């Protein structure tokens, strides 16, 4: 597939790296000359320097023969214009990263009139992830699949966890009443697609797949949640787009206090959020948070655009006894640091945007793609095509690539944790976990063309 990406920032570079690794023909447009030169040495793709909203530059990048166009600059207007011109040049499909829905009129009709098949809002995607994490304490990542029937959840394993030293086969015996599967293990910089003989070690990040309610039971069984947890009071630092989106999603389910020390966005937030207490503060942020009752909160979210501030605020909240803290963090260094110092989870709008886009640039009927942060593997929700090689054979007879496993089979009437005798049928939703190097082989197994 030929893919043109407008924007070589964090999202564009991440997409180019992943898609090039999956053997797509990728061209990237970047307006900044120095950034373009840097990308040429880092990413295996053609980099065109220029304004991605220019028809001349778009033609040079090959949009006339591209299969899909991705507009992911940090400027909504540039993304909209480039999608419109890419469609006029002959590209049949386009996706735009848009933060302000007012730019596209807010309706599907106006979106398609601009030549856009899908818009992705980074702050909405990240806000949904934060709400899932708030509702599932003890997890580092939570992503629903199969219309919410199952979720993929990450969990850090502390030294004191009762599962340390246990093999997956032993866990299956110990937790026989819980229907879940360990599908990926992140150990330092290594990614494992585990077998029953693999042990769980302290400081592993373990990813499981299960129903939402089972995930909560597993966090207790792993020793990650002790006692009762209720989400009654939440404080959010930063009336950013992310902070406002989280507050809007939580309104009506708990009491939300949104604090903006600078006051720059507080007025707009107070008009937009009818059930949220919006406070425009002054003075040092930590003093302000404490005065407004930070220590009495059930959860704290640091959603400013300053990662260092988010880290410090979460650490301060932990010191005051807040049981659950989340932060907006983009840099990999900060994400790993937050886990080690006791902050519960970090959410990256950039990574959530990449996940949202990837499912549209794959072969076959793919309903969702989840790139788990820090690991070189994906969770892919697929529906097998008619005549696919995966269909109607016991899984033990399917030539499934090493480095991949079927984590769950979802049917209208049941959710199946598969074993070697399980057969995948037409219409099933199948969640597969695969290392990057074998994703293409997995997609071929599910393709309807593989008769």
């Amino acid at each position: 597939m030929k893919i043109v990406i407008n924007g070589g920032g964090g999202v564009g570079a991440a997409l180019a790296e992943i898609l090039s690794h999956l053997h797509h023909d990728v061209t990237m447009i970047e307006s900044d000359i120095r950034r373009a030169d840097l990308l040429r040495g880092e990413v295996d793709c053609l980099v065109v320097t220029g304004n991605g909203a220019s028809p001349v530059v778009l033609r040079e990048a090959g949009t006339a023969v591209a299969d899909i166009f991705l507009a992911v600059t940090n400027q909504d207007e540039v993304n909209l214009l480039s999608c419109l011109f890419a469609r006029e040049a002959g590209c049949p499909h386009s996706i735009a990263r848009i933060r302000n829905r007012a730019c596209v009129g807010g309706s599907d009709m106006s979106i398609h009139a601009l030549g856009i098949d899908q818009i992705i809002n980074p702050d909405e995607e990240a806000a949904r992830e934060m709400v899932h994490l708030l509702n599932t304490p003890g997890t580092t990542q939570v992503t629903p699949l199969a219309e919410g029937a199952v979720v993929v959840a990450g969990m850090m394993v502390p030294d004191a966890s009762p599962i340390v030293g246990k093999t997956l086969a032993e866990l299956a015996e110990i937790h026989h009443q819980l229907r879940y599967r360990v599908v990926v293990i992140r150990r330092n910089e290594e990614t494992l697609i585990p077998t029953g003989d693999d042990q769980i070690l302290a400081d592993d990040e373990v990813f499981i797949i299960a129903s939402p309610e089972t995930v909560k039971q597993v966090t207790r069984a792993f020793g990650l949640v002790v006692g009762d947890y209720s989400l009654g009071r939440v404080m959010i630092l930063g009336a950013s787009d992310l902070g406002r989106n989280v507050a809007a999603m939580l309104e009506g389910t708990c009491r939300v206090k949104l604090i903006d020390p600078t006051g720059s966005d507080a007025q707009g937030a107070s008009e937009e959020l009818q059930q949220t207490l919006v406070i425009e503060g002054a003075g040092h942020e930590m003093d302000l948070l404490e005065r407004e009752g930070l220590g009495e909160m059930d959860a704290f979210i640091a959603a400013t655009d300053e990662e260092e501030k988010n880290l410090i605020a979460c650490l301060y909240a932990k010191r005051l006894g807040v049981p659950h803290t989340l932060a907006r963090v983009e840099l990999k260094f900060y994400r790993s640091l937050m886990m080690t110092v006791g902050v519960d989870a970090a959410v990256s709008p950039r990574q959530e945007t990449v996940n949202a886009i990837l499912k549209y640039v794959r072969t076959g009927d793919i309903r969702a793609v989840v790139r788990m942060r820090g690991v070189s593997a994906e969770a892919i929700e697929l529906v097998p095509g008619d005549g696919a090689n995966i269909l109607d054979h016991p899984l033990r007879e399917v030539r499934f690539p090493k480095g991949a496993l079927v984590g769950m089979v979802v049917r209208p009437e049941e959710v199946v944790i598969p074993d070697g005798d399980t057969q995948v049928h037409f219409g099933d939703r199948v969640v597969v976990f695969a290392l990057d190097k074998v994703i293409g082989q997995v997609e071929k197994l599910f393709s309807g063309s593989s008769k």
Side-chain angles (χ1 to χ4, degrees), residues 204-224:
D204 282 350
E205 186 172 16
V206 173
F207 294 86
I208 71 166
I209 185 168
S211 70
E213 188 55 42
T214 300
V215 169
K216 296 177 182 179
Q217 296 172 332
V218 171
T219 59
R220 294 184 181 278
F222 284 12
L224 306 176

mmCIF file with all atom_site columns, all heavy atoms in Angstrom, residues 204-224:
data_model
loop_
_atom_site.group_PDB
_atom_site.id
_atom_site.type_symbol
_atom_site.label_atom_id
_atom_site.label_alt_id
_atom_site.label_comp_id
_atom_site.label_asym_id
_atom_site.label_entity_id
_atom_site.label_seq_id
_atom_site.pdbx_PDB_ins_code
_atom_site.Cartn_x
_atom_site.Cartn_y
_atom_site.Cartn_z
_atom_site.occupancy
_atom_site.B_iso_or_equiv
_atom_site.pdbx_formal_charge
_atom_site.auth_seq_id
_atom_site.auth_comp_id
_atom_site.auth_asym_id
_atom_site.auth_atom_id
_atom_site.pdbx_PDB_model_num
ATOM 1   N N   . ASP A 1 204 ? 7.938   -6.746  35.806 1.00 0.00 ? 204 ASP A N   1
ATOM 2   C CA  . ASP A 1 204 ? 7.349   -6.992  34.493 1.00 0.00 ? 204 ASP A CA  1
ATOM 3   C C   . ASP A 1 204 ? 6.111   -6.118  34.332 1.00 0.00 ? 204 ASP A C   1
ATOM 4   O O   . ASP A 1 204 ? 5.398   -5.835  35.302 1.00 0.00 ? 204 ASP A O   1
ATOM 5   C CB  . ASP A 1 204 ? 6.908   -8.453  34.346 1.00 0.00 ? 204 ASP A CB  1
ATOM 6   C CG  . ASP A 1 204 ? 8.054   -9.411  34.070 1.00 0.00 ? 204 ASP A CG  1
ATOM 7   O OD1 . ASP A 1 204 ? 9.180   -8.935  33.808 1.00 0.00 ? 204 ASP A OD1 1
ATOM 8   O OD2 . ASP A 1 204 ? 7.818   -10.633 34.123 1.00 0.00 ? 204 ASP A OD2 1
ATOM 9   N N   . GLU A 1 205 ? 5.850   -5.705  33.102 1.00 0.00 ? 205 GLU A N   1
ATOM 10  C CA  . GLU A 1 205 ? 4.532   -5.160  32.779 1.00 0.00 ? 205 GLU A CA  1
ATOM 11  C C   . GLU A 1 205 ? 3.806   -6.237  31.998 1.00 0.00 ? 205 GLU A C   1
ATOM 12  O O   . GLU A 1 205 ? 4.250   -6.644  30.927 1.00 0.00 ? 205 GLU A O   1
ATOM 13  C CB  . GLU A 1 205 ? 4.625   -3.875  31.963 1.00 0.00 ? 205 GLU A CB  1
ATOM 14  C CG  . GLU A 1 205 ? 3.250   -3.228  31.752 1.00 0.00 ? 205 GLU A CG  1
ATOM 15  C CD  . GLU A 1 205 ? 3.314   -1.855  31.107 1.00 0.00 ? 205 GLU A CD  1
ATOM 16  O OE1 . GLU A 1 205 ? 4.375   -1.511  30.549 1.00 0.00 ? 205 GLU A OE1 1
ATOM 17  O OE2 . GLU A 1 205 ? 2.294   -1.133  31.149 1.00 0.00 ? 205 GLU A OE2 1
ATOM 18  N N   . VAL A 1 206 ? 2.721   -6.710  32.581 1.00 0.00 ? 206 VAL A N   1
ATOM 19  C CA  . VAL A 1 206 ? 1.972   -7.838  32.040 1.00 0.00 ? 206 VAL A CA  1
ATOM 20  C C   . VAL A 1 206 ? 0.701   -7.314  31.386 1.00 0.00 ? 206 VAL A C   1
ATOM 21  O O   . VAL A 1 206 ? -0.027  -6.512  31.981 1.00 0.00 ? 206 VAL A O   1
ATOM 22  C CB  . VAL A 1 206 ? 1.620   -8.838  33.164 1.00 0.00 ? 206 VAL A CB  1
ATOM 23  C CG1 . VAL A 1 206 ? 0.697   -9.927  32.650 1.00 0.00 ? 206 VAL A CG1 1
ATOM 24  C CG2 . VAL A 1 206 ? 2.887   -9.456  33.740 1.00 0.00 ? 206 VAL A CG2 1
ATOM 25  N N   . PHE A 1 207 ? 0.424   -7.771  30.179 1.00 0.00 ? 207 PHE A N   1
ATOM 26  C CA  . PHE A 1 207 ? -0.795  -7.397  29.483 1.00 0.00 ? 207 PHE A CA  1
ATOM 27  C C   . PHE A 1 207 ? -1.712  -8.604  29.419 1.00 0.00 ? 207 PHE A C   1
ATOM 28  O O   . PHE A 1 207 ? -1.288  -9.701  29.022 1.00 0.00 ? 207 PHE A O   1
ATOM 29  C CB  . PHE A 1 207 ? -0.481  -6.900  28.071 1.00 0.00 ? 207 PHE A CB  1
ATOM 30  C CG  . PHE A 1 207 ? 0.288   -5.625  28.050 1.00 0.00 ? 207 PHE A CG  1
ATOM 31  C CD1 . PHE A 1 207 ? 1.670   -5.630  28.138 1.00 0.00 ? 207 PHE A CD1 1
ATOM 32  C CD2 . PHE A 1 207 ? -0.365  -4.402  27.958 1.00 0.00 ? 207 PHE A CD2 1
ATOM 33  C CE1 . PHE A 1 207 ? 2.391   -4.452  28.126 1.00 0.00 ? 207 PHE A CE1 1
ATOM 34  C CE2 . PHE A 1 207 ? 0.352   -3.216  27.953 1.00 0.00 ? 207 PHE A CE2 1
ATOM 35  C CZ  . PHE A 1 207 ? 1.729   -3.240  28.043 1.00 0.00 ? 207 PHE A CZ  1
ATOM 36  N N   . ILE A 1 208 ? -2.965  -8.396  29.823 1.00 0.00 ? 208 ILE A N   1
ATOM 37  C CA  . ILE A 1 208 ? -3.948  -9.478  29.794 1.00 0.00 ? 208 ILE A CA  1
ATOM 38  C C   . ILE A 1 208 ? -5.111  -9.068  28.911 1.00 0.00 ? 208 ILE A C   1
ATOM 39  O O   . ILE A 1 208 ? -5.308  -7.889  28.603 1.00 0.00 ? 208 ILE A O   1
ATOM 40  C CB  . ILE A 1 208 ? -4.459  -9.832  31.203 1.00 0.00 ? 208 ILE A CB  1
ATOM 41  C CG1 . ILE A 1 208 ? -5.370  -8.706  31.735 1.00 0.00 ? 208 ILE A CG1 1
ATOM 42  C CG2 . ILE A 1 208 ? -3.298  -10.103 32.155 1.00 0.00 ? 208 ILE A CG2 1
ATOM 43  C CD1 . ILE A 1 208 ? -6.183  -9.108  32.949 1.00 0.00 ? 208 ILE A CD1 1
ATOM 44  N N   . ILE A 1 209 ? -5.902  -10.058 28.515 1.00 0.00 ? 209 ILE A N   1
ATOM 45  C CA  . ILE A 1 209 ? -7.167  -9.797  27.847 1.00 0.00 ? 209 ILE A CA  1
ATOM 46  C C   . ILE A 1 209 ? -8.255  -10.519 28.615 1.00 0.00 ? 209 ILE A C   1
ATOM 47  O O   . ILE A 1 209 ? -8.082  -11.680 29.032 1.00 0.00 ? 209 ILE A O   1
ATOM 48  C CB  . ILE A 1 209 ? -7.150  -10.228 26.359 1.00 0.00 ? 209 ILE A CB  1
ATOM 49  C CG1 . ILE A 1 209 ? -8.450  -9.816  25.666 1.00 0.00 ? 209 ILE A CG1 1
ATOM 50  C CG2 . ILE A 1 209 ? -6.881  -11.712 26.199 1.00 0.00 ? 209 ILE A CG2 1
ATOM 51  C CD1 . ILE A 1 209 ? -8.418  -9.938  24.152 1.00 0.00 ? 209 ILE A CD1 1
ATOM 52  N N   . ALA A 1 210 ? -9.364  -9.834  28.868 1.00 0.00 ? 210 ALA A N   1
ATOM 53  C CA  . ALA A 1 210 ? -10.453 -10.387 29.665 1.00 0.00 ? 210 ALA A CA  1
ATOM 54  C C   . ALA A 1 210 ? -11.655 -9.463  29.543 1.00 0.00 ? 210 ALA A C   1
ATOM 55  O O   . ALA A 1 210 ? -11.577 -8.386  28.929 1.00 0.00 ? 210 ALA A O   1
ATOM 56  C CB  . ALA A 1 210 ? -10.037 -10.528 31.130 1.00 0.00 ? 210 ALA A CB  1
ATOM 57  N N   . SER A 1 211 ? -12.765 -9.862  30.139 1.00 0.00 ? 211 SER A N   1
ATOM 58  C CA  . SER A 1 211 ? -13.909 -8.961  30.219 1.00 0.00 ? 211 SER A CA  1
ATOM 59  C C   . SER A 1 211 ? -13.570 -7.828  31.173 1.00 0.00 ? 211 SER A C   1
ATOM 60  O O   . SER A 1 211 ? -12.690 -7.967  32.038 1.00 0.00 ? 211 SER A O   1
ATOM 61  C CB  . SER A 1 211 ? -15.136 -9.714  30.729 1.00 0.00 ? 211 SER A CB  1
ATOM 62  O OG  . SER A 1 211 ? -14.974 -10.040 32.104 1.00 0.00 ? 211 SER A OG  1
ATOM 63  N N   . PRO A 1 212 ? -14.250 -6.673  31.071 1.00 0.00 ? 212 PRO A N   1
ATOM 64  C CA  . PRO A 1 212 ? -13.942 -5.551  31.972 1.00 0.00 ? 212 PRO A CA  1
ATOM 65  C C   . PRO A 1 212 ? -14.042 -5.912  33.447 1.00 0.00 ? 212 PRO A C   1
ATOM 66  O O   . PRO A 1 212 ? -13.201 -5.507  34.251 1.00 0.00 ? 212 PRO A O   1
ATOM 67  C CB  . PRO A 1 212 ? -14.979 -4.487  31.570 1.00 0.00 ? 212 PRO A CB  1
ATOM 68  C CG  . PRO A 1 212 ? -15.303 -4.794  30.141 1.00 0.00 ? 212 PRO A CG  1
ATOM 69  C CD  . PRO A 1 212 ? -15.245 -6.292  30.039 1.00 0.00 ? 212 PRO A CD  1
ATOM 70  N N   . GLU A 1 213 ? -15.057 -6.670  33.814 1.00 0.00 ? 213 GLU A N   1
ATOM 71  C CA  . GLU A 1 213 ? -15.225 -7.037  35.219 1.00 0.00 ? 213 GLU A CA  1
ATOM 72  C C   . GLU A 1 213 ? -14.137 -7.996  35.676 1.00 0.00 ? 213 GLU A C   1
ATOM 73  O O   . GLU A 1 213 ? -13.626 -7.892  36.800 1.00 0.00 ? 213 GLU A O   1
ATOM 74  C CB  . GLU A 1 213 ? -16.607 -7.668  35.443 1.00 0.00 ? 213 GLU A CB  1
ATOM 75  C CG  . GLU A 1 213 ? -16.952 -7.898  36.900 1.00 0.00 ? 213 GLU A CG  1
ATOM 76  C CD  . GLU A 1 213 ? -16.846 -6.643  37.749 1.00 0.00 ? 213 GLU A CD  1
ATOM 77  O OE1 . GLU A 1 213 ? -17.278 -5.569  37.275 1.00 0.00 ? 213 GLU A OE1 1
ATOM 78  O OE2 . GLU A 1 213 ? -16.318 -6.731  38.877 1.00 0.00 ? 213 GLU A OE2 1
ATOM 79  N N   . THR A 1 214 ? -13.732 -8.911  34.801 1.00 0.00 ? 214 THR A N   1
ATOM 80  C CA  . THR A 1 214 ? -12.665 -9.845  35.164 1.00 0.00 ? 214 THR A CA  1
ATOM 81  C C   . THR A 1 214 ? -11.348 -9.131  35.368 1.00 0.00 ? 214 THR A C   1
ATOM 82  O O   . THR A 1 214 ? -10.552 -9.494  36.239 1.00 0.00 ? 214 THR A O   1
ATOM 83  C CB  . THR A 1 214 ? -12.523 -10.937 34.089 1.00 0.00 ? 214 THR A CB  1
ATOM 84  O OG1 . THR A 1 214 ? -13.756 -11.658 33.986 1.00 0.00 ? 214 THR A OG1 1
ATOM 85  C CG2 . THR A 1 214 ? -11.404 -11.912 34.437 1.00 0.00 ? 214 THR A CG2 1
ATOM 86  N N   . VAL A 1 215 ? -11.077 -8.098  34.557 1.00 0.00 ? 215 VAL A N   1
ATOM 87  C CA  . VAL A 1 215 ? -9.838  -7.332  34.733 1.00 0.00 ? 215 VAL A CA  1
ATOM 88  C C   . VAL A 1 215 ? -9.756  -6.779  36.151 1.00 0.00 ? 215 VAL A C   1
ATOM 89  O O   . VAL A 1 215 ? -8.693  -6.823  36.793 1.00 0.00 ? 215 VAL A O   1
ATOM 90  C CB  . VAL A 1 215 ? -9.744  -6.193  33.698 1.00 0.00 ? 215 VAL A CB  1
ATOM 91  C CG1 . VAL A 1 215 ? -8.601  -5.245  34.050 1.00 0.00 ? 215 VAL A CG1 1
ATOM 92  C CG2 . VAL A 1 215 ? -9.532  -6.758  32.308 1.00 0.00 ? 215 VAL A CG2 1
ATOM 93  N N   . LYS A 1 216 ? -10.846 -6.263  36.684 1.00 0.00 ? 216 LYS A N   1
ATOM 94  C CA  . LYS A 1 216 ? -10.853 -5.739  38.045 1.00 0.00 ? 216 LYS A CA  1
ATOM 95  C C   . LYS A 1 216 ? -10.559 -6.835  39.059 1.00 0.00 ? 216 LYS A C   1
ATOM 96  O O   . LYS A 1 216 ? -9.853  -6.605  40.062 1.00 0.00 ? 216 LYS A O   1
ATOM 97  C CB  . LYS A 1 216 ? -12.205 -5.080  38.347 1.00 0.00 ? 216 LYS A CB  1
ATOM 98  C CG  . LYS A 1 216 ? -12.490 -3.857  37.482 1.00 0.00 ? 216 LYS A CG  1
ATOM 99  C CD  . LYS A 1 216 ? -13.861 -3.282  37.763 1.00 0.00 ? 216 LYS A CD  1
ATOM 100 C CE  . LYS A 1 216 ? -14.140 -2.081  36.850 1.00 0.00 ? 216 LYS A CE  1
ATOM 101 N NZ  . LYS A 1 216 ? -15.490 -1.515  37.083 1.00 0.00 ? 216 LYS A NZ  1
ATOM 102 N N   . GLN A 1 217 ? -11.067 -8.031  38.816 1.00 0.00 ? 217 GLN A N   1
ATOM 103 C CA  . GLN A 1 217 ? -10.782 -9.147  39.716 1.00 0.00 ? 217 GLN A CA  1
ATOM 104 C C   . GLN A 1 217 ? -9.316  -9.565  39.629 1.00 0.00 ? 217 GLN A C   1
ATOM 105 O O   . GLN A 1 217 ? -8.695  -9.917  40.637 1.00 0.00 ? 217 GLN A O   1
ATOM 106 C CB  . GLN A 1 217 ? -11.706 -10.330 39.377 1.00 0.00 ? 217 GLN A CB  1
ATOM 107 C CG  . GLN A 1 217 ? -13.174 -10.044 39.602 1.00 0.00 ? 217 GLN A CG  1
ATOM 108 C CD  . GLN A 1 217 ? -14.073 -11.162 39.080 1.00 0.00 ? 217 GLN A CD  1
ATOM 109 O OE1 . GLN A 1 217 ? -13.721 -11.871 38.142 1.00 0.00 ? 217 GLN A OE1 1
ATOM 110 N NE2 . GLN A 1 217 ? -15.232 -11.320 39.685 1.00 0.00 ? 217 GLN A NE2 1
ATOM 111 N N   . VAL A 1 218 ? -8.760  -9.495  38.425 1.00 0.00 ? 218 VAL A N   1
ATOM 112 C CA  . VAL A 1 218 ? -7.359  -9.882  38.239 1.00 0.00 ? 218 VAL A CA  1
ATOM 113 C C   . VAL A 1 218 ? -6.428  -8.909  38.957 1.00 0.00 ? 218 VAL A C   1
ATOM 114 O O   . VAL A 1 218 ? -5.422  -9.325  39.544 1.00 0.00 ? 218 VAL A O   1
ATOM 115 C CB  . VAL A 1 218 ? -7.017  -9.969  36.733 1.00 0.00 ? 218 VAL A CB  1
ATOM 116 C CG1 . VAL A 1 218 ? -5.515  -10.158 36.525 1.00 0.00 ? 218 VAL A CG1 1
ATOM 117 C CG2 . VAL A 1 218 ? -7.776  -11.125 36.085 1.00 0.00 ? 218 VAL A CG2 1
ATOM 118 N N   . THR A 1 219 ? -6.739  -7.617  38.937 1.00 0.00 ? 219 THR A N   1
ATOM 119 C CA  . THR A 1 219 ? -5.888  -6.660  39.644 1.00 0.00 ? 219 THR A CA  1
ATOM 120 C C   . THR A 1 219 ? -5.824  -6.980  41.135 1.00 0.00 ? 219 THR A C   1
ATOM 121 O O   . THR A 1 219 ? -4.773  -6.813  41.772 1.00 0.00 ? 219 THR A O   1
ATOM 122 C CB  . THR A 1 219 ? -6.372  -5.213  39.444 1.00 0.00 ? 219 THR A CB  1
ATOM 123 O OG1 . THR A 1 219 ? -7.713  -5.077  39.921 1.00 0.00 ? 219 THR A OG1 1
ATOM 124 C CG2 . THR A 1 219 ? -6.287  -4.801  37.987 1.00 0.00 ? 219 THR A CG2 1
ATOM 125 N N   . ARG A 1 220 ? -6.898  -7.465  41.690 1.00 0.00 ? 220 ARG A N   1
ATOM 126 C CA  . ARG A 1 220 ? -6.895  -7.872  43.103 1.00 0.00 ? 220 ARG A CA  1
ATOM 127 C C   . ARG A 1 220 ? -6.108  -9.162  43.290 1.00 0.00 ? 220 ARG A C   1
ATOM 128 O O   . ARG A 1 220 ? -5.328  -9.302  44.244 1.00 0.00 ? 220 ARG A O   1
ATOM 129 C CB  . ARG A 1 220 ? -8.327  -8.031  43.608 1.00 0.00 ? 220 ARG A CB  1
ATOM 130 C CG  . ARG A 1 220 ? -9.101  -6.720  43.646 1.00 0.00 ? 220 ARG A CG  1
ATOM 131 C CD  . ARG A 1 220 ? -10.488 -6.886  44.240 1.00 0.00 ? 220 ARG A CD  1
ATOM 132 N NE  . ARG A 1 220 ? -11.199 -5.611  44.242 1.00 0.00 ? 220 ARG A NE  1
ATOM 133 C CZ  . ARG A 1 220 ? -11.055 -4.671  45.170 1.00 0.00 ? 220 ARG A CZ  1
ATOM 134 N NH1 . ARG A 1 220 ? -10.230 -4.894  46.190 1.00 0.00 ? 220 ARG A NH1 1
ATOM 135 N NH2 . ARG A 1 220 ? -11.721 -3.547  45.101 1.00 0.00 ? 220 ARG A NH2 1
ATOM 136 N N   . ALA A 1 221 ? -6.294  -10.103 42.373 1.00 0.00 ? 221 ALA A N   1
ATOM 137 C CA  . ALA A 1 221 ? -5.570  -11.377 42.472 1.00 0.00 ? 221 ALA A CA  1
ATOM 138 C C   . ALA A 1 221 ? -4.064  -11.173 42.331 1.00 0.00 ? 221 ALA A C   1
ATOM 139 O O   . ALA A 1 221 ? -3.272  -11.914 42.917 1.00 0.00 ? 221 ALA A O   1
ATOM 140 C CB  . ALA A 1 221 ? -6.077  -12.350 41.406 1.00 0.00 ? 221 ALA A CB  1
ATOM 141 N N   . PHE A 1 222 ? -3.671  -10.158 41.556 1.00 0.00 ? 222 PHE A N   1
ATOM 142 C CA  . PHE A 1 222 ? -2.251  -9.841  41.384 1.00 0.00 ? 222 PHE A CA  1
ATOM 143 C C   . PHE A 1 222 ? -1.701  -8.991  42.532 1.00 0.00 ? 222 PHE A C   1
ATOM 144 O O   . PHE A 1 222 ? -0.518  -8.670  42.552 1.00 0.00 ? 222 PHE A O   1
ATOM 145 C CB  . PHE A 1 222 ? -2.027  -9.084  40.070 1.00 0.00 ? 222 PHE A CB  1
ATOM 146 C CG  . PHE A 1 222 ? -2.081  -9.946  38.827 1.00 0.00 ? 222 PHE A CG  1
ATOM 147 C CD1 . PHE A 1 222 ? -2.561  -11.255 38.869 1.00 0.00 ? 222 PHE A CD1 1
ATOM 148 C CD2 . PHE A 1 222 ? -1.653  -9.446  37.612 1.00 0.00 ? 222 PHE A CD2 1
ATOM 149 C CE1 . PHE A 1 222 ? -2.616  -12.037 37.722 1.00 0.00 ? 222 PHE A CE1 1
ATOM 150 C CE2 . PHE A 1 222 ? -1.695  -10.220 36.453 1.00 0.00 ? 222 PHE A CE2 1
ATOM 151 C CZ  . PHE A 1 222 ? -2.189  -11.519 36.519 1.00 0.00 ? 222 PHE A CZ  1
ATOM 152 N N   . GLY A 1 223 ? -2.565  -8.601  43.472 1.00 0.00 ? 223 GLY A N   1
ATOM 153 C CA  . GLY A 1 223 ? -2.130  -7.785  44.598 1.00 0.00 ? 223 GLY A CA  1
ATOM 154 C C   . GLY A 1 223 ? -1.937  -6.323  44.271 1.00 0.00 ? 223 GLY A C   1
ATOM 155 O O   . GLY A 1 223 ? -1.236  -5.605  44.982 1.00 0.00 ? 223 GLY A O   1
ATOM 156 N N   . LEU A 1 224 ? -2.591  -5.834  43.199 1.00 0.00 ? 224 LEU A N   1
ATOM 157 C CA  . LEU A 1 224 ? -2.412  -4.448  42.764 1.00 0.00 ? 224 LEU A CA  1
ATOM 158 C C   . LEU A 1 224 ? -3.447  -3.508  43.367 1.00 0.00 ? 224 LEU A C   1
ATOM 159 O O   . LEU A 1 224 ? -3.231  -2.295  43.407 1.00 0.00 ? 224 LEU A O   1
ATOM 160 C CB  . LEU A 1 224 ? -2.485  -4.373  41.237 1.00 0.00 ? 224 LEU A CB  1
ATOM 161 C CG  . LEU A 1 224 ? -1.528  -5.303  40.483 1.00 0.00 ? 224 LEU A CG  1
ATOM 162 C CD1 . LEU A 1 224 ? -1.756  -5.210  38.992 1.00 0.00 ? 224 LEU A CD1 1
ATOM 163 C CD2 . LEU A 1 224 ? -0.091  -4.981  40.822 1.00 0.00 ? 224 LEU A CD2 1
#
